[in-house]
PDB file of all heavy atoms in Angstrom:
ATOM      1  N   GLY C 197      16.048  -0.032   0.416  1.00 55.00           N
ATOM      2  CA  GLY C 197      16.849   0.010  -0.875  1.00 55.00           C
ATOM      3  C   GLY C 197      17.216  -1.258  -1.358  1.00 55.00           C
ATOM      4  O   GLY C 197      18.001  -1.296  -2.384  1.00 55.00           O
ATOM      5  N   ILE C 198      16.637  -2.414  -1.103  1.00 59.00           N
ATOM      6  CA  ILE C 198      17.017  -3.691  -1.476  1.00 59.00           C
ATOM      7  C   ILE C 198      16.476  -3.989  -2.934  1.00 59.00           C
ATOM      8  O   ILE C 198      16.961  -4.912  -3.564  1.00 59.00           O
ATOM      9  CB  ILE C 198      16.550  -4.792  -0.510  1.00 59.00           C
ATOM     10  CG1 ILE C 198      17.448  -5.992  -0.824  1.00 59.00           C
ATOM     11  CG2 ILE C 198      15.020  -5.166  -0.694  1.00 59.00           C
ATOM     12  CD1 ILE C 198      17.340  -7.036   0.465  1.00 59.00           C
ATOM     13  N   THR C 199      15.552  -3.188  -3.370  1.00 58.00           N
ATOM     14  CA  THR C 199      15.066  -3.390  -4.768  1.00 58.00           C
ATOM     15  C   THR C 199      15.288  -2.054  -5.448  1.00 58.00           C
ATOM     16  O   THR C 199      15.861  -1.051  -4.892  1.00 58.00           O
ATOM     17  CB  THR C 199      13.537  -3.555  -4.906  1.00 58.00           C
ATOM     18  OG1 THR C 199      12.815  -2.356  -4.426  1.00 58.00           O
ATOM     19  CG2 THR C 199      13.139  -4.813  -3.899  1.00 58.00           C
ATOM     20  N   SER C 200      14.961  -2.025  -6.738  1.00 58.00           N
ATOM     21  CA  SER C 200      15.248  -0.702  -7.589  1.00 58.00           C
ATOM     22  C   SER C 200      14.090   0.216  -7.118  1.00 58.00           C
ATOM     23  O   SER C 200      14.472   1.525  -7.534  1.00 58.00           O
ATOM     24  CB  SER C 200      15.038  -1.147  -9.099  1.00 58.00           C
ATOM     25  OG  SER C 200      13.791  -1.639  -9.380  1.00 58.00           O
ATOM     26  N   LEU C 201      13.187  -0.175  -6.510  1.00 57.00           N
ATOM     27  CA  LEU C 201      12.133   0.859  -6.041  1.00 57.00           C
ATOM     28  C   LEU C 201      12.678   1.576  -4.789  1.00 57.00           C
ATOM     29  O   LEU C 201      13.035   0.995  -3.823  1.00 57.00           O
ATOM     30  CB  LEU C 201      10.779   0.164  -5.612  1.00 57.00           C
ATOM     31  CG  LEU C 201      10.078  -0.548  -6.878  1.00 57.00           C
ATOM     32  CD1 LEU C 201       8.939  -1.320  -6.370  1.00 57.00           C
ATOM     33  CD2 LEU C 201       9.561   0.403  -7.862  1.00 57.00           C
ATOM     34  N   GLN C 202      12.677   2.855  -4.921  1.00 61.00           N
ATOM     35  CA  GLN C 202      13.346   3.646  -3.889  1.00 61.00           C
ATOM     36  C   GLN C 202      12.190   4.371  -2.926  1.00 61.00           C
ATOM     37  O   GLN C 202      12.548   4.645  -1.814  1.00 61.00           O
ATOM     38  CB  GLN C 202      14.207   4.834  -4.434  1.00 61.00           C
ATOM     39  CG  GLN C 202      15.403   4.293  -5.178  1.00 61.00           C
ATOM     40  CD  GLN C 202      16.347   3.375  -4.480  1.00 61.00           C
ATOM     41  OE1 GLN C 202      16.709   3.744  -3.337  1.00 61.00           O
ATOM     42  NE2 GLN C 202      16.670   2.246  -4.951  1.00 61.00           N
ATOM     43  N   LYS C 203      10.990   4.426  -3.512  1.00 67.00           N
ATOM     44  CA  LYS C 203       9.997   5.078  -2.727  1.00 67.00           C
ATOM     45  C   LYS C 203       9.342   4.142  -1.823  1.00 67.00           C
ATOM     46  O   LYS C 203       8.858   3.025  -2.126  1.00 67.00           O
ATOM     47  CB  LYS C 203       8.963   5.741  -3.682  1.00 67.00           C
ATOM     48  CG  LYS C 203       7.986   6.628  -3.052  1.00 67.00           C
ATOM     49  CD  LYS C 203       7.180   7.385  -4.061  1.00 67.00           C
ATOM     50  CE  LYS C 203       6.264   8.366  -3.361  1.00 67.00           C
ATOM     51  NZ  LYS C 203       5.224   7.698  -2.551  1.00 67.00           N
ATOM     52  N   ASN C 204       9.323   4.544  -0.430  1.00 76.00           N
ATOM     53  CA  ASN C 204       8.580   3.602   0.562  1.00 76.00           C
ATOM     54  C   ASN C 204       7.843   4.623   1.379  1.00 76.00           C
ATOM     55  O   ASN C 204       8.538   5.457   2.152  1.00 76.00           O
ATOM     56  CB  ASN C 204       9.650   2.841   1.128  1.00 76.00           C
ATOM     57  CG  ASN C 204       8.956   1.782   2.105  1.00 76.00           C
ATOM     58  OD1 ASN C 204       7.868   1.630   2.114  1.00 76.00           O
ATOM     59  ND2 ASN C 204       9.883   1.155   2.812  1.00 76.00           N
ATOM     60  N   PRO C 205       6.579   4.682   1.517  1.00 90.00           N
ATOM     61  CA  PRO C 205       5.673   3.591   0.849  1.00 90.00           C
ATOM     62  C   PRO C 205       5.410   4.005  -0.655  1.00 90.00           C
ATOM     63  O   PRO C 205       5.522   5.166  -1.106  1.00 90.00           O
ATOM     64  CB  PRO C 205       4.322   3.859   1.659  1.00 90.00           C
ATOM     65  CG  PRO C 205       4.443   5.271   1.996  1.00 90.00           C
ATOM     66  CD  PRO C 205       5.928   5.603   2.452  1.00 90.00           C
ATOM     67  N   ASN C 206       4.934   2.963  -1.392  1.00 90.00           N
ATOM     68  CA  ASN C 206       4.536   3.252  -2.701  1.00 90.00           C
ATOM     69  C   ASN C 206       3.061   2.750  -2.949  1.00 90.00           C
ATOM     70  O   ASN C 206       2.410   2.404  -1.863  1.00 90.00           O
ATOM     71  CB  ASN C 206       5.551   2.559  -3.706  1.00 90.00           C
ATOM     72  CG  ASN C 206       5.655   1.115  -3.661  1.00 90.00           C
ATOM     73  OD1 ASN C 206       4.766   0.387  -3.137  1.00 90.00           O
ATOM     74  ND2 ASN C 206       6.731   0.515  -4.123  1.00 90.00           N
ATOM     75  N   SER C 207       2.699   2.510  -4.300  1.00 94.00           N
ATOM     76  CA  SER C 207       1.293   2.160  -4.421  1.00 94.00           C
ATOM     77  C   SER C 207       0.849   0.756  -3.759  1.00 94.00           C
ATOM     78  O   SER C 207      -0.195   0.561  -3.333  1.00 94.00           O
ATOM     79  CB  SER C 207       1.055   2.097  -5.868  1.00 94.00           C
ATOM     80  OG  SER C 207       1.915   1.302  -6.649  1.00 94.00           O
ATOM     81  N   TRP C 208       1.829  -0.122  -3.661  1.00 95.00           N
ATOM     82  CA  TRP C 208       1.527  -1.395  -2.981  1.00 95.00           C
ATOM     83  C   TRP C 208       1.201  -1.163  -1.511  1.00 95.00           C
ATOM     84  O   TRP C 208       0.241  -1.633  -1.043  1.00 95.00           O
ATOM     85  CB  TRP C 208       2.669  -2.354  -3.071  1.00 95.00           C
ATOM     86  CG  TRP C 208       2.754  -3.175  -4.388  1.00 95.00           C
ATOM     87  CD1 TRP C 208       3.470  -2.851  -5.582  1.00 95.00           C
ATOM     88  CD2 TRP C 208       2.045  -4.426  -4.676  1.00 95.00           C
ATOM     89  NE1 TRP C 208       3.149  -3.780  -6.505  1.00 95.00           N
ATOM     90  CE2 TRP C 208       2.363  -4.774  -5.973  1.00 95.00           C
ATOM     91  CE3 TRP C 208       1.197  -5.223  -3.756  1.00 95.00           C
ATOM     92  CZ2 TRP C 208       1.884  -5.914  -6.563  1.00 95.00           C
ATOM     93  CZ3 TRP C 208       0.759  -6.256  -4.401  1.00 95.00           C
ATOM     94  CH2 TRP C 208       1.066  -6.822  -5.718  1.00 95.00           C
ATOM     95  N   ASP C 209       2.031  -0.415  -0.912  1.00 96.00           N
ATOM     96  CA  ASP C 209       1.728  -0.089   0.564  1.00 96.00           C
ATOM     97  C   ASP C 209       0.476   0.674   0.732  1.00 96.00           C
ATOM     98  O   ASP C 209      -0.375   0.375   1.628  1.00 96.00           O
ATOM     99  CB  ASP C 209       2.854   0.716   1.124  1.00 96.00           C
ATOM    100  CG  ASP C 209       4.170   0.120   1.121  1.00 96.00           C
ATOM    101  OD1 ASP C 209       4.361  -0.952   1.500  1.00 96.00           O
ATOM    102  OD2 ASP C 209       5.106   0.592   0.324  1.00 96.00           O
ATOM    103  N   LYS C 210       0.195   1.606  -0.210  1.00 96.00           N
ATOM    104  CA  LYS C 210      -1.059   2.315  -0.127  1.00 96.00           C
ATOM    105  C   LYS C 210      -2.260   1.564  -0.378  1.00 96.00           C
ATOM    106  O   LYS C 210      -3.295   1.693   0.331  1.00 96.00           O
ATOM    107  CB  LYS C 210      -0.979   3.556  -1.046  1.00 96.00           C
ATOM    108  CG  LYS C 210       0.011   4.571  -0.755  1.00 96.00           C
ATOM    109  CD  LYS C 210       0.190   5.675  -1.849  1.00 96.00           C
ATOM    110  CE  LYS C 210       1.296   6.629  -1.368  1.00 96.00           C
ATOM    111  NZ  LYS C 210       1.312   7.785  -2.398  1.00 96.00           N
ATOM    112  N   MET C 211      -2.148   0.501  -1.297  1.00 97.00           N
ATOM    113  CA  MET C 211      -3.222  -0.458  -1.403  1.00 97.00           C
ATOM    114  C   MET C 211      -3.466  -1.207  -0.269  1.00 97.00           C
ATOM    115  O   MET C 211      -4.723  -1.376   0.238  1.00 97.00           O
ATOM    116  CB  MET C 211      -2.796  -1.391  -2.640  1.00 97.00           C
ATOM    117  CG  MET C 211      -3.976  -2.377  -2.803  1.00 97.00           C
ATOM    118  SD  MET C 211      -3.768  -3.922  -1.791  1.00 97.00           S
ATOM    119  CE  MET C 211      -2.110  -4.453  -2.463  1.00 97.00           C
ATOM    120  N   PHE C 212      -2.562  -1.830   0.601  1.00 98.00           N
ATOM    121  CA  PHE C 212      -2.682  -2.468   1.671  1.00 98.00           C
ATOM    122  C   PHE C 212      -3.274  -1.575   2.847  1.00 98.00           C
ATOM    123  O   PHE C 212      -4.291  -1.949   3.443  1.00 98.00           O
ATOM    124  CB  PHE C 212      -1.428  -3.176   2.199  1.00 98.00           C
ATOM    125  CG  PHE C 212      -1.062  -4.324   1.394  1.00 98.00           C
ATOM    126  CD1 PHE C 212       0.259  -4.448   0.680  1.00 98.00           C
ATOM    127  CD2 PHE C 212      -1.796  -5.451   1.350  1.00 98.00           C
ATOM    128  CE1 PHE C 212       0.499  -5.416  -0.112  1.00 98.00           C
ATOM    129  CE2 PHE C 212      -1.390  -6.585   0.606  1.00 98.00           C
ATOM    130  CZ  PHE C 212      -0.138  -6.576  -0.114  1.00 98.00           C
ATOM    131  N   TYR C 213      -2.678  -0.394   2.900  1.00 97.00           N
ATOM    132  CA  TYR C 213      -3.286   0.476   3.921  1.00 97.00           C
ATOM    133  C   TYR C 213      -4.803   0.726   3.635  1.00 97.00           C
ATOM    134  O   TYR C 213      -5.620   0.681   4.595  1.00 97.00           O
ATOM    135  CB  TYR C 213      -2.528   1.821   3.837  1.00 97.00           C
ATOM    136  CG  TYR C 213      -3.327   2.948   4.685  1.00 97.00           C
ATOM    137  CD1 TYR C 213      -3.284   3.031   6.046  1.00 97.00           C
ATOM    138  CD2 TYR C 213      -4.077   3.763   3.909  1.00 97.00           C
ATOM    139  CE1 TYR C 213      -4.044   3.956   6.588  1.00 97.00           C
ATOM    140  CE2 TYR C 213      -4.780   4.837   4.529  1.00 97.00           C
ATOM    141  CZ  TYR C 213      -4.726   4.832   5.956  1.00 97.00           C
ATOM    142  OH  TYR C 213      -5.522   5.789   6.469  1.00 97.00           O
ATOM    143  N   PHE C 214      -5.083   1.005   2.408  1.00 97.00           N
ATOM    144  CA  PHE C 214      -6.568   1.410   2.100  1.00 97.00           C
ATOM    145  C   PHE C 214      -7.527   0.189   2.284  1.00 97.00           C
ATOM    146  O   PHE C 214      -8.619   0.558   2.867  1.00 97.00           O
ATOM    147  CB  PHE C 214      -6.571   1.786   0.560  1.00 97.00           C
ATOM    148  CG  PHE C 214      -7.760   2.395   0.149  1.00 97.00           C
ATOM    149  CD1 PHE C 214      -8.341   3.619   0.589  1.00 97.00           C
ATOM    150  CD2 PHE C 214      -8.654   1.686  -0.848  1.00 97.00           C
ATOM    151  CE1 PHE C 214      -9.565   4.181   0.234  1.00 97.00           C
ATOM    152  CE2 PHE C 214      -9.960   2.310  -1.129  1.00 97.00           C
ATOM    153  CZ  PHE C 214     -10.314   3.496  -0.727  1.00 97.00           C
ATOM    154  N   PHE C 215      -7.102  -0.906   1.920  1.00 98.00           N
ATOM    155  CA  PHE C 215      -8.129  -1.998   2.040  1.00 98.00           C
ATOM    156  C   PHE C 215      -8.062  -2.661   3.393  1.00 98.00           C
ATOM    157  O   PHE C 215      -9.094  -3.488   3.824  1.00 98.00           O
ATOM    158  CB  PHE C 215      -7.966  -2.915   0.943  1.00 98.00           C
ATOM    159  CG  PHE C 215      -8.384  -2.569  -0.371  1.00 98.00           C
ATOM    160  CD1 PHE C 215      -7.500  -2.009  -1.361  1.00 98.00           C
ATOM    161  CD2 PHE C 215      -9.683  -2.438  -0.759  1.00 98.00           C
ATOM    162  CE1 PHE C 215      -7.900  -1.489  -2.525  1.00 98.00           C
ATOM    163  CE2 PHE C 215     -10.181  -1.972  -1.853  1.00 98.00           C
ATOM    164  CZ  PHE C 215      -9.152  -1.535  -2.851  1.00 98.00           C
ATOM    165  N   LEU C 216      -6.901  -2.580   4.213  1.00 97.00           N
ATOM    166  CA  LEU C 216      -6.970  -3.216   5.478  1.00 97.00           C
ATOM    167  C   LEU C 216      -7.336  -2.362   6.573  1.00 97.00           C
ATOM    168  O   LEU C 216      -7.809  -2.712   7.564  1.00 97.00           O
ATOM    169  CB  LEU C 216      -5.438  -3.744   5.726  1.00 97.00           C
ATOM    170  CG  LEU C 216      -4.933  -4.756   4.788  1.00 97.00           C
ATOM    171  CD1 LEU C 216      -3.547  -5.333   5.236  1.00 97.00           C
ATOM    172  CD2 LEU C 216      -5.822  -6.073   4.679  1.00 97.00           C
ATOM    173  N   LYS C 217      -7.210  -0.977   6.322  1.00 95.00           N
ATOM    174  CA  LYS C 217      -7.465   0.003   7.266  1.00 95.00           C
ATOM    175  C   LYS C 217      -8.693   0.860   7.069  1.00 95.00           C
ATOM    176  O   LYS C 217      -9.397   1.047   8.026  1.00 95.00           O
ATOM    177  CB  LYS C 217      -6.240   0.964   7.375  1.00 95.00           C
ATOM    178  CG  LYS C 217      -6.364   2.006   8.600  1.00 95.00           C
ATOM    179  CD  LYS C 217      -5.959   1.234   9.870  1.00 95.00           C
ATOM    180  CE  LYS C 217      -5.845   2.409  10.955  1.00 95.00           C
ATOM    181  NZ  LYS C 217      -5.619   1.853  12.374  1.00 95.00           N
ATOM    182  N   GLU C 218      -8.933   1.159   5.908  1.00 95.00           N
ATOM    183  CA  GLU C 218     -10.117   2.108   5.639  1.00 95.00           C
ATOM    184  C   GLU C 218     -11.396   1.414   5.118  1.00 95.00           C
ATOM    185  O   GLU C 218     -12.468   1.986   5.147  1.00 95.00           O
ATOM    186  CB  GLU C 218      -9.701   3.289   4.791  1.00 95.00           C
ATOM    187  CG  GLU C 218      -8.578   4.262   5.365  1.00 95.00           C
ATOM    188  CD  GLU C 218      -8.492   5.427   4.490  1.00 95.00           C
ATOM    189  OE1 GLU C 218      -9.000   5.625   3.415  1.00 95.00           O
ATOM    190  OE2 GLU C 218      -7.680   6.348   5.045  1.00 95.00           O
ATOM    191  N   LYS C 219     -11.123   0.267   4.402  1.00 96.00           N
ATOM    192  CA  LYS C 219     -12.376  -0.307   3.674  1.00 96.00           C
ATOM    193  C   LYS C 219     -12.624  -1.766   4.215  1.00 96.00           C
ATOM    194  O   LYS C 219     -11.938  -2.235   5.085  1.00 96.00           O
ATOM    195  CB  LYS C 219     -11.971  -0.436   2.174  1.00 96.00           C
ATOM    196  CG  LYS C 219     -11.965   0.888   1.553  1.00 96.00           C
ATOM    197  CD  LYS C 219     -13.267   1.674   1.509  1.00 96.00           C
ATOM    198  CE  LYS C 219     -13.200   3.018   0.925  1.00 96.00           C
ATOM    199  NZ  LYS C 219     -14.266   3.820   0.807  1.00 96.00           N
ATOM    200  N   ASP C 220     -13.852  -2.207   3.842  1.00 96.00           N
ATOM    201  CA  ASP C 220     -14.252  -3.500   4.290  1.00 96.00           C
ATOM    202  C   ASP C 220     -15.047  -4.172   3.122  1.00 96.00           C
ATOM    203  O   ASP C 220     -16.014  -3.985   2.840  1.00 96.00           O
ATOM    204  CB  ASP C 220     -15.356  -3.295   5.466  1.00 96.00           C
ATOM    205  CG  ASP C 220     -15.844  -4.638   6.139  1.00 96.00           C
ATOM    206  OD1 ASP C 220     -15.064  -5.466   6.021  1.00 96.00           O
ATOM    207  OD2 ASP C 220     -17.037  -4.676   6.572  1.00 96.00           O
ATOM    208  N   TYR C 221     -14.112  -5.032   2.434  1.00 98.00           N
ATOM    209  CA  TYR C 221     -14.474  -5.944   1.399  1.00 98.00           C
ATOM    210  C   TYR C 221     -14.482  -7.381   1.663  1.00 98.00           C
ATOM    211  O   TYR C 221     -13.646  -7.835   2.442  1.00 98.00           O
ATOM    212  CB  TYR C 221     -13.690  -5.503   0.117  1.00 98.00           C
ATOM    213  CG  TYR C 221     -14.079  -4.206  -0.525  1.00 98.00           C
ATOM    214  CD1 TYR C 221     -13.369  -3.065  -0.254  1.00 98.00           C
ATOM    215  CD2 TYR C 221     -15.118  -4.184  -1.345  1.00 98.00           C
ATOM    216  CE1 TYR C 221     -13.773  -1.719  -0.752  1.00 98.00           C
ATOM    217  CE2 TYR C 221     -15.527  -2.955  -2.029  1.00 98.00           C
ATOM    218  CZ  TYR C 221     -14.823  -1.682  -1.754  1.00 98.00           C
ATOM    219  OH  TYR C 221     -15.214  -0.646  -2.278  1.00 98.00           O
TER     220      TYR C 221
END
């Protein structure tokens, strides 16, 4: 809750998960 964003994970986390875990670019 340190930022105004309350949702965790959000699209930033999902992006890191997707490109670090599922994809190879």
Side-chain angles (χ1 to χ4, degrees):
I198 202 166
T199 71
S200 60
L201 297 173
Q202 298 301 312
K203 191 170 183 296
N204 188 6
N206 64 19
S207 58
W208 275 95
D209 302 300
K210 293 177 181 183
M211 176 274 297
F212 284 119
Y213 165 81
F214 187 66
F215 287 102
L216 300 181
K217 186 74 173 178
E218 292 195 357
K219 294 294 179 179
D220 183 25
Y221 281 93

